[in-house]
Amino acid sequence: MKILIVGGVAGGASAAARLRRLSMDDEIILFEKDEYISFANCGLPYYIGGVIEERDELLVQTVEGMTKRFNLDIRNFQEVMAIHPDTKTVDVYNHQTNASYTESYDKLILSPGANPIWPNVPGIEEAKNVMKLRNVPDTDRIKEMLTHNPKKAVVIGAGFIGIEMAENLRHLGLDVTLVDLAKQILAPFDPEMAVVLQNEVSRNGVHLHLGVGLEGFENEGKTVLLSDGSKLESDLTILAIGVSPASKLAKDAGLTLGLKNGIVVNEQLQTSNPDIYAIGDVIQVNHLVSNTPTYIPLAWPANRQGRLVADHIHGIDINYQGTLGSSVAKVFDMVGASTGLNEFMARKLGYDVATTIVHRANHASYYPNAKNLTLKLVYDKQTLDILGAQGVGYEGTEKRIDVLATAIIGKLKVTDLASLELCYAPPFSSAKDPVNILGYAASHSINGIYQTISCQQVKEHLNDYFVLDVRTPSEFAGGHIEGAINIELDSLRHQTDKLPKQKDTAIVVYCQVGQRAHYALSLLHQLGYTNLYNLSGGYITFNEVQKANK
């Protein structure tokens, strides 16, 4: 069987290696228009920042190494220019010899990836210091620019690459400004979770310009123009405003395209032509939670899809049901991780959404260096299905999101989380892991003792609630919600005369993280109060939101 693969890196290289492991007889030709067939995209910012010291560490596999190990015909610097499904051929252009030729196939795998979005704004063509970051040559250009000792840098786009570039440029000592059209960083996170990471970015000296867009450049890129009228000085500007599927080949070949022009594939990763497969950042995928089309350009799905395509070509039954979008980012000293749907997307898709936020130490609090971990769970009130989760904190944050991603795949209910028997020893966790605590906390709302309420809801409708702060007087004095009444938890049962006389009064109770509020709400429930709310995330979350809005 003759199999052509267009594009290497995660998807194409994985497919090629798996094909050879399944058959020594396949004729496998891999085309890559650039020099490098397999490199660590996600490591590029850290090489730029000097955290990864050696450039060769980025090269997962070389042409020579992969050819020798897997007996492949690898043709780098050769670009597939057109696909002819009717004759099962492709047109190829060799960038080194300037020669063109035609190659036939039995099966064709498209793995061309995605292209960085390059905005059409005034002055961008003359801007010599404006860079993108997608591959090794991009990285080399940025490293060369850094040899000229730039002092000020602007990063446009506060997604994963933008955050990582801002951090690494700060690591090099540059004065960095981060700009995004959204009012928060990192779109997979809901606002009250993103603000924790935003505050970490600000603490590390990065200037944030959120809710403003890029308007253009002046002075050959030395001046960056923003939509709010701001003008930023910049010696180096990184554009990290997203990617779009590199699907022109597929479009010209008449293959069906979908969301954001991603190639539409079935559960066997076949395109609208069954002899042509597509994988990686170029395809539209099914979201595993919502069962709706989405576009999620991440490394794990590309690797998995590459293996599955090779299996299907060789008659192994496969069924790629979709992608969760599990992801993690290092944000200076903190970690942000997420999986599934966030609250915004879940509501947009019509789910009857409930959320729970808990704050816990990442390991036993009495063991040295315990640090706060914040988890947010998004679930369906009616079915109790887990829709998604987010975590911000330090060491161990991504471990909890991995557990919750597994719970979603396993179709566990939110009530099952308290029953998960997870590893425990003081250096790693607590006897009740933060994931267990999510299950316990959600069960109180599910059982009807009280409901949770967000910081935003409380702020917007403050006069509609009796707000009760059950922290100590010293904690209250250090900062509290405006208008709140302070009755310390340990004194509450003796000061019920300070509570509303009407038992149906809406009462919002909060403490630092929610645990003492839970005890107080249980007492109020026993006293006959029926309209009770626990402030989701407690005062810690409320205060983080307040700081970000100043």
Side-chain angles (χ1 to χ4, degrees), residues 102-364:
T102 299
E103 196 71 64
S104 64
Y105 65 84
D106 295 312
K107 302 291 181 182
L108 175 63
I109 301 172
L110 300 179
S111 181
N115 298 317
I117 295 173
W118 193 256
N120 183 22
V121 295
I124 195 168
E125 296 300 326
E126 297 77 30
K128 307 302 181 185
N129 62 338
V130 178
M131 308 281 176
K132 58 183 174 63
L133 179 62
R134 185 64 182 173
N135 53 32
V136 176
D138 293 338
T139 306
D140 291 339
R141 283 188 284 270
I142 295 171
K143 289 286 279 187
E144 196 281 328
M145 178 67 74
L146 290 170
T147 64
H148 299 286
N149 297 316
K151 303 300 181 185
K152 293 188 176 183
V154 174
V155 179
I156 310 293
F160 290 108
I161 293 296
I163 291 292
E164 290 164 357
M165 279 305 305
E167 175 179 344
N168 280 280
L169 292 173
R170 280 296 295 148
H171 181 71
L172 294 173
L174 276 72
D175 184 350
V176 180
T177 300
L178 182 62
V179 178
D180 200 286
L181 186 59
K183 294 182 178 180
Q184 66 170 71
I185 67 171
L186 296 171
F189 294 85
D190 288 313
E192 70 274 25
M193 301 294 282
V195 295
V196 181
L197 300 173
Q198 284 169 208
N199 292 337
E200 174 72 2
V201 170
S202 295
R203 273 194 298 272
N204 281 276
V206 175
H207 313 292
L208 289 174
H209 282 251
L210 301 177
V212 294
L214 173 67
E215 289 289 299
F217 299 93
E218 291 178 346
N219 303 325
E220 296 184 332
K222 292 289 186 179
T223 303
V224 182
L225 308 178
L226 302 182
S227 59
D228 64 352
S230 299
K231 293 185 177 184
L232 305 177
E233 295 181 25
S234 179
D235 301 312
L236 170 63
T237 298
I238 305 295
L239 291 182
I241 56 179
V243 297
S244 59
S247 57
K248 185 179 185 302
L249 263 180
K251 180 181 179 181
D252 292 346
L255 303 181
T256 302
L257 303 186
L259 188 69
K260 296 186 176 180
N261 287 322
I263 302 173
V264 174
V265 295
N266 62 17
E267 291 184 348
Q268 287 68 49
L269 296 162
Q270 293 166 299
T271 68
S272 51
N273 183 308
D275 290 322
I276 303 177
Y277 296 78
I279 57 177
D281 294 356
V282 76
I283 68 172
Q284 168 188 291
V285 295
N286 181 59
H287 198 287
L288 263 178
V289 175
S290 63
N291 199 32
T292 56
T294 189
Y295 180 63
I296 302 178
L298 291 171
W300 185 92
N303 276 285
R304 177 66 176 154
Q305 292 156 12
R307 179 187 176 95
L308 292 178
V309 160
D311 286 353
H312 191 259
I313 287 173
H314 281 281
I316 300 172
D317 187 29
I318 65 106
N319 184 6
Y320 187 74
Q321 295 181 340
T323 304
L324 263 182
S326 300
S327 57
V328 62
K330 178 181 180 295
V331 184
F332 289 92
D333 292 330
M334 296 193 75
V335 177
S338 70
T339 189
L341 300 174
N342 60 25
E343 181 181 355
F344 172 79
M345 284 305 302
R347 293 191 185 280
K348 186 176 179 180
L349 289 166
Y351 288 97
D352 189 3
V353 174
T355 66
T356 296
I357 296 177
V358 300
H359 300 273
R360 283 295 182 274
N362 59 345
H363 56 66

Side-chain angles (χ1 to χ4, degrees), residues 346-385:
R347 293 191 185 280
K348 186 176 179 180
L349 289 166
Y351 288 97
D352 189 3
V353 174
T355 66
T356 296
I357 296 177
V358 300
H359 300 273
R360 283 295 182 274
N362 59 345
H363 56 66
S365 57
Y366 55 81
Y367 188 86
N369 300 317
K371 293 183 178 179
N372 188 57
L373 163 66
T374 303
L375 293 177
K376 178 175 182 178
L377 186 71
V378 182
Y379 64 96
D380 187 298
K381 284 182 186 178
Q382 303 303 315
T383 65
L384 303 185
D385 290 334

Side-chain angles (χ1 to χ4, degrees), residues 185 290-291 315 392-393 456 485 491 496 501 512 525:
I185 67 171
S290 63
N291 199 32
V392 296
Q456 193 63 32
I485 303 300
S491 305
T496 56
K501 305 303 180 186
Q512 201 71 356
H525 177 70

Side-chain angles (χ1 to χ4, degrees), residues 414-467:
V414 62
T415 46
D416 294 321
L417 297 179
S419 302
L420 294 179
E421 187 175 340
L422 303 174
C423 294
Y424 161 60
F428 306 105
S429 184
S430 299
K432 287 188 287 190
D433 189 86
V435 173
N436 297 137
I437 297 298
L438 272 178
Y440 285 121
S443 69
H444 302 310
S445 295
I446 293 166
N447 295 335
I449 296 174
Y450 55 77
Q451 302 176 59
T452 58
I453 188 168
S454 71
C455 298
Q456 193 63 32
Q457 287 174 295
V458 171
K459 279 189 65 178
E460 291 176 357
H461 306 283
L462 192 58
N463 294 331
D464 297 334
Y465 303 104
F466 179 90
V467 182

